Amino acid sequence: MKHNIEQLAAAYLATLAKTEERRRYWNEESKAFILQYLTNIAAQYPLPWKAGANETVEGLEAVFIALEHSPSGIAERTPFNLVHKLKAGAFLSFSQNRNGQVVIWMSFPFIDGLQDETPKKETFETVEPEEIDEALIIRNIEKFLIELAQWENDAIDTIGFVRK
């Protein structure tokens, strides 16, 4: 009986080695590069945003640029007070995946207390850590800003408005 166990085992070991190489490159090169680049962008352009890193889970770290929370302009009137609703800021994340690749995605803003569901998320692309350069970061920041502007412009479809 002929089988491919030897070749398949070798392919699996190569896959494990590739994951370790991706993680090494992320930790030694990509993570710091992205954080520094996003920090520079946040300082250069006058938006209420900041760059940061989430390193809570080793092997699944993320580097992001996030908009600060802000007033939404919406308030709920109760018999006793007026409760102003906060617009939770959006963020663009460069997140390490379980296989060491980097997933670039965004979380949209949302109005706290008006939406039952979790904030909308959109994946832009998945890349190898060594593919991350200025052009890739800029391309994804541009996508992020386009999506934010569209979200702000299309917000008339949220709960509480009737389209005629």
Side-chain angles (χ1 to χ4, degrees):
M1 177 174 164
K2 186 176 173 158
H3 56 78
N4 295 321
I5 293 174
E6 185 175 346
Q7 294 89 347
L8 293 171
Y12 178 63
L13 288 173
T15 299
L16 294 176
K18 181 64 177 172
T19 297
E20 289 307 311
E21 174 58 24
R22 288 174 178 143
R23 288 184 177 146
R24 184 200 61 75
Y25 197 91
W26 167 262
N27 284 311
E28 294 177 6
E29 304 288 335
S30 303
K31 186 169 44 171
F33 174 73
I34 298 166
L35 183 57
Q36 184 60 54
Y37 199 83
L38 293 179
T39 299
N40 291 342
I41 290 290
Q44 186 175 354
Y45 297 96
L47 292 174
W49 57 1
K50 62 183 175 190
N54 181 344
E55 300 176 309
T56 306
V57 180
E58 188 174 323
L60 293 177
E61 299 96 354
V63 178
F64 59 85
I65 191 164
L67 290 170
E68 297 174 2
H69 296 353
S70 61
S72 69
I74 298 170
E76 183 178 354
R77 193 175 307 280
T78 70
F80 304 104
N81 60 6
L82 189 63
V83 179
H84 293 274
K85 301 296 183 179
L86 190 65
K87 179 170 55 172
F91 62 85
L92 174 67
S93 180
F94 295 76
S95 303
Q96 189 180 36
N97 201 350
R98 62 175 176 74
N99 69 358
Q101 290 180 312
V102 179
V103 179
I104 304 163
W105 62 284
M106 78 170 285
S107 178
F108 286 79
F110 68 96
I111 310 299
D112 191 34
L114 285 187
Q115 299 165 316
D116 292 332
E117 73 268 1
T118 58
K120 176 183 168 189
K121 295 173 175 56
E122 182 174 331
T123 299
F124 291 161
E125 58 185 305
T126 301
V127 298
E128 297 293 330
E130 62 270 14
E131 294 175 340
I132 297 171
D133 60 10
E134 286 185 22
L136 181 136
I137 294 172
I138 289 169
R139 179 174 71 241
N140 283 283
I141 292 172
E142 288 174 345
K143 284 184 202 176
F144 176 63
L145 292 171
I146 289 167
E147 291 292 337
L148 284 175
Q150 185 173 344
W151 184 87
E152 293 289 349
N153 286 328
D154 292 346
I156 196 162
D157 290 335
T158 58
I159 295 171
F161 295 91
V162 177
R163 188 182 252 179
K164 292 184 179 188

